[in-house]
């Protein structure tokens, strides 16, 4: 028989006790989106400046995405102010459209505005390849 267990949001006061609201209501979710289309060939190690995030924001990694086109082994690493906050995210070559998705894997929080960049990894991008980055963050402002 299946067992039912409670999280820390269900009080021990019995079945009539009101659950605790687990939603964090402080702050506002925002999404910064950048689309980059290569107008020249880019090599491994090249950096694409995407946008600047305001100070004192908290990333929401599960909602951040990267879509792209590039060589079969191409990867990008997302950085905030030069510090990586994602692992190498693969972007594969496609004749049309967006073909890959990856979630940001770790978080950096800064008290200063941060330039978000994408550093090309194992291979570059050719003319016409596209990179779309969506960074969702919580701002308390």
């Amino acid at each position: 028989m299946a067992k039912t267990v409670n999280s820390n949001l269900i009080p021990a006061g019995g079945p009539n006790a009101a659950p605790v609201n687990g939603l964090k209501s402080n702050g506002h979710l925002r999404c910064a989106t950048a689309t980059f289309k290569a107008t020249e060939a880019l090599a491994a190690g090249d950096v694409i400046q995407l946008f600047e995030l305001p100070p004192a924001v908290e990333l929401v990694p599960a909602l951040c995405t990267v879509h792209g086109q590039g060589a079969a082994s191409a990867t990008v690493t997302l950085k905030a102010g030069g510090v990586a906050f994602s692992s190498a995210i693969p972007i594969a070559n496609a004749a049309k459209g967006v073909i890959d998705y990856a979630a940001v894997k770790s978080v950096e929080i800064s008290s200063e505005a941060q330039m978000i960049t994408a550093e090309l990894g194992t291979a570059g991008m050719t003319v016409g390849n596209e990179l779309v980055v969506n960074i969702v963050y919580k701002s308390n402002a």
Side-chain angles (χ1 to χ4, degrees):
M1 181 173 197
K3 184 194 307 190
T4 300
V5 294
N6 294 333
S7 74
N8 65 328
L9 298 179
I10 305 297
N16 295 325
V20 177
N21 184 353
L23 296 175
K24 294 182 179 180
S25 59
N26 59 333
H28 305 280
L29 286 183
R30 300 197 172 115
C31 182
T33 301
T35 301
F36 172 80
K37 190 166 187 172
T39 57
E40 61 182 302
L42 299 174
D46 287 348
V47 175
I48 302 165
Q49 290 188 334
L50 299 169
F51 45 77
E52 189 173 80
L53 287 184
V57 299
E58 182 178 352
L59 299 184
V60 183
L63 301 178
C64 298
T65 61
V66 175
H67 304 268
Q69 297 171 309
S73 61
T75 62
V76 296
T77 300
L78 299 178
K79 295 185 175 187
V83 178
F85 67 88
S86 80
S87 60
I89 300 169
I91 54 172
N93 200 15
K96 294 180 182 177
V98 172
I99 55 85
D100 207 349
Y101 160 91
V104 174
K105 296 177 174 53
S106 61
V107 178
E108 280 291 323
I109 301 172
S110 175
S111 60
E112 300 175 5
Q114 297 288 318
M115 175 61 70
I116 303 299
T117 59
E119 183 176 321
L120 297 176
T122 55
M125 294 176 74
T126 59
V127 175
N129 283 164
E130 190 171 80
L131 180 67
V132 180
V133 177
N134 299 298
I135 301 294
V136 177
Y137 61 96
K138 183 178 96 169
S139 173
N140 290 321

